[in-house]
């Protein structure tokens, strides 16, 4: 198996990408292709000690930025590090593509270049939210599909369930429907329809409706929702945690007394902050396209890149694509 | 003007209701009607010192609980403290009704008993979320309408804008559209349609799309969204803050060192917790029905009830209903 990384994507590219790739070669013995500016990438590679025969650099001349319109960028910048990486998966030269670059462009590229798996109504970008217990909860879609129908959400449930089992190693993932109340019959028209479908679905451990206030407490493994709601959940949670930590910092420096108090609690608070650091929870898989696509955080450091590569390895070894193709084929019949 | 309070609604009823009513009489000199069990309420009234001629008790024999189906409860329990209070507003015997009881029943009662204002497509329950700066942001609908169309959201914008001006005294409220990105053109189909409407609307200070992660930072006065999204936002934020405080408590007692640290910071942390206490921010007005309806928190203490009464007074003095009727009438033409 081979993993291709968009060498120029992300805030710290290509530096963290190259460093993370070297770490992954040492740790997992995986074969890696890095796309991007050959000169800079090779210079960076020289800084690290690993089996360089495992890393191939493919030179590209263009870079897609976050400011560009995703679809236009993917169509026009055919020699960009991202498009070339996506094409390698399309052409079976690599099994999984990882990028810390523009999310929009990666999703568009996933659909336009790699293409949807037959029978899957819509692919979804599924991200893990840290919980207070140290684990995390998957949000089925965090922005790929802002307008969904019943079938889309049902497909998200199947795909995230497979991912949780095969990549995260969760035996019997607890699948919940993101809602505004826990009782049956709660929610808007779409959510009510989806509830009935999930309830009757074989092979899924559907535990019912869940209020989003519970997510941080780790009461389920997967929350099913459309990309608009998912994005609202992730950003509201992230914003609340960040704002609260910012305010805590103010509180801690408000008086000499509290400054001393803060100093005494420093170690514990740091642990808590790390626990809730969204960027350390690996990348988000784009499920439903016919190849492995993992979006790493834009601010990924080398360890985050290494973790995303490990995720890619598990994605391949877990046979996730084949599993998704199988049920996609079922729906098609 | 007269305010009627559902004497039996809420976790601390009728005790906090009676105490809060007495406080309000002393502080604002307002006339109040309390519906509920006359014997208990009068006993409670005897405990407090205020001009008792300002408080009328209307005996009722039934109570609506949170467990009952709202519409059924409102239709069947015609001698409940809530239904009798709502009817008083309908019959112009009171101007504003306040209840800390079942939200669902109060909203159903608002629509079925008091009725919608002509020209308003849907009433909304608009709640204030505390911000880190000590103020709060209004969420246009936090659950009354889980499926909305463009006109509903446009009406919410008009009504919350009036409320912010007339009751909260905000000169030129910053109205934002709750969305998953700040750029124009972001969002799902509904939100995109609403964006265009709000942009072209006279008399509204529309500042564009807003990511929900910013709400706690107080970047706008009003967030326009449907009741499903609004409920998700409120509960996610509330859940995040509660979970984080719970975890902080654990962190603080993790070691002797951190226990001492926590002790030194206790005062500051308490202030922060109070700042973010959702229950202290008064009640949520139900805008768009033809009478004042304010939902107080279920856990309201006497001060929260007193604050909700003050809100009711401002609602009446600010001529909110007349203002909403006026633009409702405009749409109707």
């Amino acid at each position: 198996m081979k993993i291709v990384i968009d060498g120029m994507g992300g805030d710290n590219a290509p530096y963290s990408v190259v460093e993370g790739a070297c770490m992954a070669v040492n740790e997992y013995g995986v074969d890696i292709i890095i796309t991007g500016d050959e000169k800079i990438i090779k210079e960076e590679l020289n800084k690290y000690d690993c089996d360089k025969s495992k890393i191939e650099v493919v030179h590209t001349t263009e870079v897609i930025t976050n400011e560009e319109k995703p679809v236009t960028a993917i169509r026009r910048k055919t020699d960009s590090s991202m498009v070339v990486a996506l094409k390698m998966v399309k052409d079976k030269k690599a099994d999984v593509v990882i990028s810390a670059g523009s999310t929009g462009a990666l999703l568009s590229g996933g659909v336009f270049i790699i293409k949807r798996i037959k029978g899957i109504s819509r692919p979804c970008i599924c991200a893990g939210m840290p919980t207070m217990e140290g684990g995390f909860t998957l949000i089925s879609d965090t922005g790929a599909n802002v307008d969904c129908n019943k079938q889309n959400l049902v497909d998200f449930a199947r795909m995230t369930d497979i991912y949780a089992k095969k990549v995260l190693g969760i035996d019997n993932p607890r699948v919940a429907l993101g809602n505004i109340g826990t009782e049956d019959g709660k929610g808007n028209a779409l959510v009510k329809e989806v509830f009935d479908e999930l309830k009757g679905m074989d092979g899924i451990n559907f535990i019912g409706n869940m209020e989003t206030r519970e997510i941080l407490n780790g009461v389920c493994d997967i929350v099913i929702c459309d990309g608009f709601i998912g994005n609202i959940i992730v950003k509201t949670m992230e914003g609340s945690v960040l704002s609260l930590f910012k305010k805590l910092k103010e509180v801690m420096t408000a008086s000499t007394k509290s400054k001393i108090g803060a100093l005494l609690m420093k170690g514990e608070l740091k642990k808590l902050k790390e626990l809730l650091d969204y960027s350390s929870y690996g990348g988000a898989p784009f499920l439903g396209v016919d190849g492995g696509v993992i979006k790493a955080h834009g601010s990924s450091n080398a360890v985050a890149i290494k973790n995303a590569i490990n995720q890619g390895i598990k994605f391949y070894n877990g046979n996730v694509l084949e599993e998704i193709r199988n049920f996609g084929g079922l729906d098609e019949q």
Side-chain angles (χ1 to χ4, degrees), chain A residues 173-237:
Chain A
R174 296 159 300 169
V175 178
L177 184 59
N179 208 333
I180 61 172
T182 51
E183 308 91 325
D184 292 11
K186 274 273 174 181
N188 60 17
L190 173 63
V191 159
K192 284 180 191 168
E193 273 189 293
V194 173
F195 182 93
D196 293 335
E197 287 291 317
L198 294 180
K199 216 175 164 181
M201 203 185 265
D202 281 338
I204 296 250
N205 175 21
F206 180 54
I207 61 167
N209 289 321
M210 204 212 32
E211 288 195 325
T212 53
R213 75 168 109 209
E214 293 293 340
I215 296 177
L216 272 175
N217 298 325
V219 294
C220 64
D221 299 300
I222 299 170
V223 179
I224 303 301
C225 56
D226 69 41
F228 192 81
I229 301 288
N231 199 283
I232 296 265
I233 294 173
V234 170
K235 283 185 180 156
T236 307
M237 218 169 262

Side-chain angles (χ1 to χ4, degrees), chain A residues 63-81:
Chain A
V63 176
I64 292 176
T65 67
N66 280 324
E67 285 64 42
E68 291 173 82
K69 291 209 164 175
V71 179
T72 319
I74 286 293
R75 293 220 159 124
R76 291 202 187 146
K77 290 194 165 170
T78 50
D79 198 39
S80 62
S81 55

Side-chain angles (χ1 to χ4, degrees), chain A residues 207-280:
Chain A
I207 61 167
N209 289 321
M210 204 212 32
E211 288 195 325
T212 53
R213 75 168 109 209
E214 293 293 340
I215 296 177
L216 272 175
N217 298 325
V219 294
C220 64
D221 299 300
I222 299 170
V223 179
I224 303 301
C225 56
D226 69 41
F228 192 81
I229 301 288
N231 199 283
I232 296 265
I233 294 173
V234 170
K235 283 185 180 156
T236 307
M237 218 169 262
E238 201 176 8
S240 303
V241 170
L242 284 177
S243 299
L244 208 54
F245 270 112
K246 199 178 139 208
K247 200 74 192 175
L248 264 180
K249 213 173 167 181
E250 271 175 52
V251 159
M252 285 170 175
T253 51
S255 71
T256 312
K257 208 169 104 178
S258 60
K259 270 183 200 165
I260 299 169
L263 210 64
L264 290 166
M265 287 172 57
K266 207 178 163 187
E268 302 293 341
L269 284 172
K270 203 179 158 208
K271 266 188 249 165
L272 179 57
K273 209 173 171 181
E274 279 166 7
L275 179 75
L276 295 173
D277 180 7
Y278 297 77
S279 63
S280 65

